[in-house]
Amino acid sequence: MGLSTHVLDTMHGCPAAGMEVALYEMHGKAASLLKRVVLNQDGRSAAPLLDDVSLRCGTYRLRFNVAGYFAARGVVLPQPNFLDQVNLDFGVAHADQHYHVPLLVSPWSYATYRGS
């Protein structure tokens, strides 16, 4: 089952290839880095962020480097950026289920949901 993500660039209408994403396990307000990935041409990590053995019940954070991605695409961003890093904190209540956390993002907005 495990944990996965997918990022769609809603400004350009394409997957967010090359975006950097970090996964943290949360312990109260403290965060422990578990993994850093760069998204492939489909806007996904090459492998699950956590496989079904590694996924545990608890709270996690996905940190998406939104400003870095759009700057690399040549988008002129105001300083300071409206969105720099997007942090999504979410809970895993059932480690035996798949958790897919998509992000739809532009330099000025984002949306997420629990996917399948």
Side-chain angles (χ1 to χ4, degrees), residues 91-115:
V92 170
H94 304 283
D96 60 335
Q97 297 179 5
H98 180 72
Y99 280 75
H100 182 66
V101 184
L103 181 71
L104 292 82
V105 68
S106 81
W108 305 279
S109 67
Y110 67 92
T112 191
Y113 55 95
R114 180 176 175 192

Side-chain angles (χ1 to χ4, degrees), residues 33-47:
L33 178 66
L34 297 178
K35 184 180 278 191
R36 288 185 196 276
V37 298
V38 175
L39 302 180
N40 64 19
Q41 294 300 313
D42 195 32
R44 300 174 188 272
S45 58

Side-chain angles (χ1 to χ4, degrees), residues 27-61:
H27 309 280
K29 294 187 182 213
S32 300
L33 178 66
L34 297 178
K35 184 180 278 191
R36 288 185 196 276
V37 298
V38 175
L39 302 180
N40 64 19
Q41 294 300 313
D42 195 32
R44 300 174 188 272
S45 58
L49 297 172
L50 292 174
D51 61 23
D52 56 347
V53 174
S54 303
L55 184 64
R56 297 181 303 206
C57 294
T59 305
Y60 295 87
R61 172 177 292 159

Side-chain angles (χ1 to χ4, degrees), residues 61-102:
R61 172 177 292 159
L62 282 169
R63 177 173 290 160
F64 301 89
N65 185 2
V66 173
Y69 165 78
F70 283 106
R73 295 265 337 230
V75 176
V76 177
L77 298 171
Q79 294 301 318
N81 304 315
F82 182 69
L83 293 177
D84 185 23
Q85 306 281 327
V86 170
N87 291 308
L88 297 179
D89 290 1
F90 61 96
V92 170
H94 304 283
D96 60 335
Q97 297 179 5
H98 180 72
Y99 280 75
H100 182 66
V101 184

